[in-house]
Amino acid sequence: MERGAVPASPPKRMPTGIGGLDDIIDGGLPRGGVTVVLGGAGAGKTIFGLQVLASGARHGEPGILVAFEERAASIVANASGLEWGPEMVRGKGVFVLDAQLSQSVEKSGEFDLVGLLAMVAAKAEQVNAKRVVFDGIDVLLGYLGDPSLVRREVFRLRDWVHDSGLSGIITAKADATDARAASDYDFLQFMADCVVTMHHRVASGTALRFLRVPKYRGAAHSTNEYPIAITSAGVEVGANTTIALEHPASGERISSGVERLDAMLSGGYHRGSSVLITGVPGTAKTSLAAIFAEAACLRGERTIYVSFDEAPDQIIRNVSSIGIQFAPLIATGTLSVHSYRGRAESPEAQVARIRALLRENQPRNLVVDPLSALAQRGREGDGEGAALQVLDLAKNAGITLVATSLLGNLLPLAEETRMNISTAADTWIHVSYVSHGGERNRALTIIKARGTGHSNQVRELVLTNEGVALADVYAAGGEVLMGTLRWEKENEARRMRSAAENSAALRERKAEVAIAETKARVEALMRDQSIQEAELEHIRAAVAVDTGHLDTEADELLQRRRADPLVTATSPDSEDEGGVKP
Amino acid sequence: MTPEEPKSPVAKVHVCLYIAGASPNSVAALANLRIALAPFSDQFVAVQIIDVLVDPQRGLRDGILITPMLVRTEPLPERRILGNLSDRVTLLSALGLAESPS
């Protein structure tokens, strides 16, 4: 990974080509100055030097390595095992001079570096070198013996570098944790323009490597201790405490692969964000991660799945049991599955592997399952740093990261994680087991989701052979019901609902019947009414006939009696009464 | 080997002294070598002086980067003596010229 290939203007810098280093030392090592690299045996000093030379060679700055400790041939052989090694050897941009003093060399009196520097100068002129590394100067100084001679020659070396116009790196074996050895080389640090210390310590059986820049004349630099990894890419510095957080925020949402989870997250994960899924073993963390990977691949986005637990075959088989088919996605090249054994390497080396994967594949999405594997070994804090680096790596590259994290078995149900990455992650989903009624069911909660309105409700995570789904949970009497209890509750609710529906129908029917009866009664009454009305008509008609008949009879009677015409009708009441009365 | 072995070496010794111009240690090495080898005739010892300031490529080619350095090229195996050769005993012993010829 090349960074800052163009040197900064006023304070001249020599980019190192060491991933992450230039960021913490203001662009590179002092150009035209002397950098002393101190470290114990196997701290990576030689690789540091070679890497700076190889990077220089790639940018038109040939370099020379003067080897005091190892034979030139063995340095070249070792370098060929590094990614840039063969090119470095072939490219004629790096020249290794063998200045090793074998055991058979006997010493008789004093010596100095005059001849050496003359020859290096000649070589530098010949190959137009811009960089020079004196590797393992401690071996040579050991032959000098006398501390005053050591100082004289070291100053001679420094002055020569300053005069030559080359940028020099001097490596020396001096364990920074060994106070006495470190003090022996105090003057090395004193005379240098820049000092880099490298050391490693072993914690829980894993070597952890660190780098520090305690001195850099005239440069703003961080003097913190940084974890480093030495891999086939060389030395990589993990700047886990990023000085400036400059991650472009994305408003784009991408699916989590679970429809209802997307709904809970107001549309899904943010593109380029980091999602942490925590939970005890068996809580379907992997399933959630896998379904995200599948959804991403089905959108045509290149996705990398890194597992620290299982081999690719196992993962493919396991996820197929919940209906996630990785094989065709791998076949088309959108998905690649990588497995690394969590315990085999230091966290830094694992981060370096992920970094290499991202560099080579340029994916849009990354799944790390589980990220907590990085913390399995070593000091607490180292793993955390490594995990944070993975977060940073993905963020800086705009890659959406879904990482799972196993929680410690000591606190199986606690919503906490050893790693503070839960703070750094943008979205934190926790899956826990809820034991109730003789069952253990999975409860999914979104603990946080930056920049997202999200549901604070607990959902039951249900795994079927068709995939992952979320179900509502019932809260009853302060308890969350899941699994069979949820099912029972759902059934009960259905029954109650149908009973209610039935009784409503019954009442409706009853009402209808009542109305019908009322109507019938109304009709009957109306019929009665019409009968009665008809009867009334009839009565009236009959009355009229009777009256008429009486009048006729009266007339006849009068006629028969030859009585006066009906005067009585108009006569006074007496006559009338007398006339009417029989 | 017998105790009657001659005190002078049978084979001629070839040495090569790599120096860096007139630097104090180089000047001293040259002087010390001359004094140490004075008792030996040219018949037994051949000396070559290489100044890496004059011919740096020679030092690079021979893989001699630290000076002053005396190399016994013959007889084999090659022996190397680093320094200004102020320690004459070490020098002669390394060259296989431990005892002065009579």
Side-chain angles (χ1 to χ4, degrees):
Chain A
M1 194 181 294
E2 289 297 319
R3 296 185 192 213
V6 180
S9 40
K12 294 217 169 117
R13 299 282 181 258
M14 171 178 68
T16 61
I18 293 173
L21 179 61
D22 294 345
D23 293 342
I24 61 172
I25 52 171
D26 198 20
L29 295 173
R31 188 175 283 282
V34 173
T35 298
V36 168
V37 179
L38 297 172
K45 303 180 295 298
T46 301
I47 293 175
F48 184 106
L50 280 172
Q51 200 168 351
V52 172
L53 294 182
S55 169
R58 277 198 300 277
H59 295 96
E61 296 187 7
I64 295 170
L65 184 130
V66 183
F68 294 110
E69 191 174 7
E70 291 176 82
R71 299 211 67 89
S74 89
I75 286 178
V76 169
N78 292 344
S80 63
L82 297 157
E83 284 170 14
W84 35 262
E87 183 201 331
M88 180 193 88
V89 173
R90 270 199 315 274
K92 304 281 181 202
V94 177
F95 303 85
V96 181
L97 300 183
D98 200 336
Q100 191 218 32
L101 296 169
S102 68
Q103 291 297 318
S104 66
V105 170
E106 286 177 77
K107 194 193 160 206
S108 172
E110 293 176 18
F111 66 94
D112 54 60
L113 301 183
V114 176
L116 171 80
L117 297 175
M119 284 181 269
V120 173
K123 187 73 183 177
E125 193 180 357
Q126 182 193 332
V127 302
N128 193 28
K130 296 284 185 280
R131 304 179 178 197
V132 61
V133 174
F134 296 92
D135 187 40
I137 195 84
D138 57 291
V139 173
L140 184 69
L141 301 181
Y143 276 89
L144 282 168
D146 184 338
S148 67
L149 293 181
V150 166
R151 282 165 198 237
R152 189 188 70 195
E153 295 310 315
V154 167
F155 281 125
R156 189 197 302 278
L157 181 52
R158 189 211 37 197
D159 292 345
W160 177 84
V161 170
H162 283 167
D163 293 344
S164 70
L166 297 169
S167 302
I169 292 176
I170 300 172
T171 79
K173 184 153 61 282
D175 198 332
T177 60
D178 179 344
R180 205 174 64 97
S183 79
D184 285 350
Y185 291 96
D186 270 354
F187 72 94
L188 264 178
Q189 305 191 41
F190 164 73
M191 67 87 192
D193 301 301
C194 177
V195 176
V196 175
T197 60
M198 300 171 82
H199 69 282
H200 71 279
R201 58 172 170 265
V202 176
S204 313
T206 301
L208 300 164
R209 299 171 183 276
F210 300 93
L211 177 146
R212 208 166 84 80
V213 184
K215 175 180 177 180
Y216 196 144
R217 271 192 193 130
H221 71 287
S222 166
T223 56
N224 291 345
E225 185 180 77
Y226 292 94
I228 59 169
I230 297 178
T231 65
S232 60
V235 179
E236 289 193 55
V237 178
N240 57 346
T241 45
T242 313
I243 295 158
L245 294 164
E246 290 166 7
H247 310 130
S250 164
E252 188 188 344
R253 300 298 184 119
I254 54 175
S255 174
S256 66
V258 182
E259 205 178 317
R260 285 202 63 179
L261 184 55
D262 291 348
M264 285 174 81
L265 289 163
S266 311
Y269 303 142
H270 276 292
R271 160 95 57 210
S273 72
S274 50
V275 180
L276 180 68
I277 302 168
T278 59
V280 296
T283 43
K285 299 182 298 298
T286 296
S287 303
L288 280 172
I291 205 162
F292 164 76
E294 185 194 36
C297 289
L298 292 175
R299 286 194 303 272
E301 298 170 10
R302 180 169 278 216
T303 301
I304 288 186
Y305 192 109
V306 175
S307 171
F308 287 111
D309 277 349
E310 297 168 305
D313 291 352
Q314 278 180 296
I315 295 163
I316 293 163
R317 188 197 62 208
N318 293 350
V319 300
S320 72
S321 71
I322 52 165
I324 299 169
Q325 301 305 337
F326 272 3
L329 303 173
I330 293 169
T332 61
T334 45
L335 181 69
S336 61
V337 180
H338 305 266
S339 294
Y340 303 121
R341 282 283 162 211
R343 288 164 205 286
E345 294 176 303
S346 73
E348 289 309 320
Q350 289 169 335
V351 172
R353 280 171 173 279
I354 292 172
R355 198 196 306 265
L357 273 177
L358 300 185
R359 193 169 49 221
E360 286 160 22
N361 295 287
Q362 304 286 324
R364 295 215 73 181
N365 307 287
L366 170 68
V367 172
V368 181
D369 179 34
L371 192 58
S372 46
L374 293 174
Q376 278 179 348
R377 282 277 164 147
R379 243 186 359 170
E380 267 187 61
D382 293 333
E384 188 179 306
L388 284 170
Q389 281 180 54
V390 174
L391 253 64
D392 268 0
L393 277 178
K395 270 271 161 61
N396 289 327
I399 294 169
T400 310
L401 170 72
V402 172
T404 68
S405 176
L406 200 61
L407 294 184
N409 291 328
L410 292 173
L411 297 164
L413 297 177
E415 284 176 356
E416 57 183 83
T417 160
R418 271 173 70 202
M419 294 194 282
N420 288 329
I421 53 168
S422 54
T423 327
D426 298 310
T427 300
W428 180 8
I429 294 169
H430 183 68
V431 190
S432 60
Y433 273 129
V434 175
S435 294
H436 192 73
E439 282 186 5
R440 295 219 296 173
N441 298 293
R442 300 177 180 94
L444 180 143
T445 322
I446 298 170
I447 295 175
K448 80 164 179 186
R450 274 191 195 133
T452 300
H454 63 275
S455 167
N456 59 359
Q457 284 191 299
V458 176
R459 294 278 192 278
E460 182 177 353
L461 186 65
V462 186
L463 294 184
T464 68
N465 50 16
E466 279 147 26
V468 180
L470 294 178
D472 283 323
V473 294
Y474 283 89
E479 273 186 310
V480 170
L481 301 182
M482 294 189 191
T484 308
L485 287 173
R486 170 177 56 79
W487 183 81
E488 283 176 353
K489 191 76 183 177
E490 281 172 354
N491 269 2
E492 191 185 319
R494 260 195 299 277
R495 274 199 307 277
M496 285 175 66
R497 202 160 50 237
S498 76
E501 281 166 6
N502 288 347
S503 77
L506 189 64
R507 282 203 306 277
E508 192 181 315
R509 290 293 296 279
K510 277 183 178 168
E512 278 167 10
V513 169
I515 290 168
E517 279 177 359
T518 307
K519 272 185 182 165
R521 276 213 300 278
V522 166
E523 278 170 23
L525 286 170
M526 283 177 77
R527 268 198 309 279
D528 286 354
Q529 185 187 3
S530 59
I531 289 166
Q532 286 159 358
E533 280 170 355
E535 215 169 312
L536 178 63
E537 282 301 309
H538 180 71
I539 292 166
R540 282 191 181 144
V543 168
V545 169
D546 285 354
T547 311
H549 184 66
L550 284 174
D551 287 348
T552 310
E553 282 181 357
D555 285 346
E556 274 181 15
L557 186 65
L558 285 174
Q559 278 175 342
R560 285 171 196 223
R561 285 176 183 169
R562 304 276 179 205
D564 293 330
L566 267 182
V567 290
T568 53
T570 55
S571 65
D573 286 347
S574 55
E575 283 178 17
D576 195 13
E577 279 175 23
V580 176
K581 283 177 186 173
Chain B
M1 298 295 158
T2 66
E4 315 308 322
E5 188 186 2
K7 289 178 177 176
S8 299
V10 175
K12 191 173 179 179
V13 173
H14 290 257
V15 294
C16 203
L17 180 64
Y18 295 80
I19 57 167
S23 68
N25 282 323
S26 293
V27 170
L30 207 48
N32 287 332
L33 182 67
R34 292 230 159 96
I35 292 164
L37 295 184
F40 301 93
S41 84
D42 293 347
Q43 196 186 339
F44 295 116
V45 182
V47 177
Q48 187 185 10
I49 309 296
I50 293 159
D51 185 346
V52 298
L53 297 195
V54 175
D55 187 2
Q57 294 303 330
R58 175 69 192 271
L60 290 167
R61 200 162 56 241
D62 295 348
I64 304 298
L65 276 81
I66 316 292
T67 59
M69 180 84 82
L70 181 69
V71 179
R72 187 188 77 180
T73 54
E74 286 177 42
L76 294 174
E78 186 188 273
R79 303 292 296 271
R80 293 186 180 192
I81 303 113
L82 172 66
N84 61 18
L85 309 179
S86 58
D87 180 351
R88 196 179 306 171
V89 176
T90 304
L91 167 64
L92 292 178
S93 136
L95 292 180
L97 300 167
E99 291 176 46
S100 299
S102 49

